[in-house]
């Protein structure tokens, strides 16, 4: 009985790794950008520029002349959500059509899409609860989680399809994870600091009731801890001969932390000017992305070895192929 050999047809619209990688990077940039624009909404007291959701007013989905500049700012930020959805949707389609599909890439791309939709819903709840600081804080934390997923997707597309290999000793791996946890704690407590301060997004929005000076001191203490851990990690990576990429990532994280710390102290002692607060929000995204870079730099994926070719027997050599 003759064996039938099937010819694998290529994908109709194959997507290159370069295109998928650029789309994944666009997700990172877009999600960081909407954090900054969302901050601009709060810092200009435009949080209730569109006082309801999903409509901007009870009669209109879009802003009206009566809403003034605050309505324009808030509605503009809402429109950016559609841009994020388009980018994330294009990335998901590209991941599905990728000619060298990476395991997990489709799931990560889908998670970004669902995360953006969830963020839109949380944003609506924020408006309907009159900018309650707890919901606003959740909104920001979810943005950081979205950056995590988008960054994981970007790194996954750049990597081979093989297994993960840790490049540093267990002690350094533990120190890296401790630094990641400290970085996350700084961000979460920073959200509490913002919720206690003057930039509520609207003159009538409530605050979380925490003493601004006390919670700011807790935030500063965590920042000192994070910087100390980062210095220790950087020196340890250098001393133990870790890969150059890991050393560079730790050094970059330290520099970003120092710049963010300077902005934080200046804004605190100058009564929180809006431009510096906005820069500090962007800095939070950069610190988090630099932290993730360090985490990914201590491991790598190895290429999958191609299966060994089986020698063809004389009988198979003489057998004609049928498509």
């Amino acid at each position: 009985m003759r064996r039938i050999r099937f010819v694998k047809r290529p994908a109709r619209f194959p997507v290159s790794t370069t295109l998928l990688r650029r789309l994944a990077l666009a997700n990172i940039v877009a999600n960081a950008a909407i954090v900054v624009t969302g901050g601009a909404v709060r810092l200009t007291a435009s949080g209730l520029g569109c006082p309801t959701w999903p409509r901007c007013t009870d009669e209109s989905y879009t802003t009206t002349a009566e809403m003034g500049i605050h309505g324009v700012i808030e509605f503009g930020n809402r429109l950016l959500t559609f841009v994020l959805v388009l980018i994330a949707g294009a990335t998901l389609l590209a991941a599905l059509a990728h000619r060298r599909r990476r395991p997990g890439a489709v799931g990560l791309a889908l998670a970004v899409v669902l995360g953006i939709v969830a963020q839109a819903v949380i944003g609506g709840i924020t408006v309907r609860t009159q900018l309650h600081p707890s919901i606003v804080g959740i909104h920001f934390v979810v943005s950081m989680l979205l950056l995590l997923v988008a960054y994981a997707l970007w790194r996954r597309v750049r990597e081979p399809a093989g297994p993960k290999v840790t490049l540093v000793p267990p002690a350094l791996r533990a120190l890296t994870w401790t630094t990641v946890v400290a970085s996350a704690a700084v961000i979460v407590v920073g959200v509490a600091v913002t919720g206690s301060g003057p930039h509520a997004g609207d003159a009538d929005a409530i605050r979380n009731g925490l003493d601004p000076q006390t919670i700011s001191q807790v935030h500063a203490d965590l920042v000192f801890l994070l910087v100390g851990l980062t210095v220790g990690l950087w020196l340890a990576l250098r001393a133990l001969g870790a890969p150059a990429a890991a050393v560079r990532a730790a050094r970059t994280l330290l520099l970003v932390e120092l710049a963010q710390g300077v902005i934080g102290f200046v804004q605190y002692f100058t009564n929180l000017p809006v431009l510096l607060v906005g820069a500090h929000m962007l800095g939070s995204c950069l610190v988090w992305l630099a932290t993730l870079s360090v985490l990914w730099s201590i491991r790598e994926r190895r290429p999958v070895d191609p299966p060994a070719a089986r020698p063809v027997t004389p009988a198979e050599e003489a057998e004609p192929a049928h498509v």
Side-chain angles (χ1 to χ4, degrees):
M1 182 177 179
R2 293 180 177 177
R3 245 181 351 186
I4 298 177
R5 298 178 184 175
F6 295 94
V7 176
K8 184 179 179 181
R9 295 183 178 180
R12 186 172 296 179
F13 300 107
V15 171
S16 68
T17 301
T18 299
L19 176 58
L20 181 55
R21 185 168 62 242
R22 289 174 178 173
L23 286 170
L25 180 59
N27 277 280
I28 297 174
V29 174
N31 279 283
I34 203 167
V35 169
V36 177
T37 60
V41 171
R42 295 190 62 200
L43 295 171
T44 57
S46 303
L48 295 178
C50 286
T52 187
W53 187 89
R55 294 175 182 262
C56 187
T57 69
D58 290 335
E59 295 79 23
S60 174
Y61 280 99
T62 62
T63 187
T64 62
E66 291 77 9
M67 307 308 297
I69 186 62
H70 295 306
V72 172
I73 294 173
E74 164 65 4
F75 184 70
N77 190 62
R78 292 187 184 189
L79 287 179
L80 285 178
T81 301
F82 293 99
V83 177
L84 263 68
V85 170
L86 288 175
I87 295 173
T91 306
L92 176 59
L93 293 176
L96 288 169
H98 188 212
R99 63 163 65 102
R100 295 180 179 178
R101 184 179 296 180
R102 300 290 191 271
V106 173
L108 289 169
L110 177 61
V112 173
V113 174
L114 296 178
I116 293 170
V117 174
Q119 273 291 69
V121 175
I122 295 172
I125 296 172
T126 301
V127 172
R128 288 185 170 272
T129 57
Q130 302 295 297
L131 307 182
H132 193 283
S134 297
I135 307 300
V136 173
I138 291 172
H139 203 36
F140 186 83
V141 170
V142 173
S143 291
M144 296 299 104
L145 293 176
L146 261 173
L147 280 177
L148 166 61
V149 178
Y151 185 85
L153 173 62
W154 180 62
R155 294 298 294 254
R156 189 68 195 91
V157 172
R158 298 176 62 202
E159 297 172 330
K164 287 190 294 185
V165 177
T166 302
L167 303 175
V168 297
L172 273 183
R173 187 170 181 268
L175 179 57
T176 302
W177 273 105
T178 303
T179 304
V180 172
V181 171
S183 182
V186 166
I187 291 172
V188 171
V189 176
V191 169
V193 173
T194 302
S196 69
H199 299 299
D202 186 80
D204 298 324
I206 64 172
R207 303 284 69 208
N208 59 23
L210 297 173
D211 177 60
Q213 186 173 359
T214 301
I215 193 65
S216 295
Q217 184 61 57
V218 174
H219 181 61
D221 292 341
L222 285 172
V223 169
F224 286 130
L225 174 63
L226 175 60
V227 171
L229 288 170
T230 305
V231 170
L233 179 61
W234 176 46
L235 294 176
L237 289 169
R238 292 184 60 187
L240 296 180
V247 177
R248 286 195 304 270
R251 182 182 61 206
T252 300
L253 173 59
L254 178 59
L255 294 175
V256 174
E257 288 169 354
L258 293 175
Q260 175 75 334
V262 169
I263 295 173
F265 278 107
V266 172
Q267 73 169 5
Y268 179 78
F269 289 110
T270 55
N271 200 26
L272 303 175
V274 294
L275 290 178
L276 284 181
V277 175
H280 202 55
M281 294 185 69
L282 174 61
S284 297
C285 296
L286 297 179
V287 168
W288 184 232
L289 290 171
T291 302
L292 297 177
S293 177
V294 173
L295 182 60
W296 258 261
S297 70
I298 64 169
R299 33 77 75 197
E300 69 176 7
R301 287 185 182 271
R302 303 282 171 81
V304 178
D305 294 330
R310 183 177 62 85
V312 180
T313 64
E316 290 174 332
E317 185 71 29
E319 182 180 307
H322 294 268
V323 178

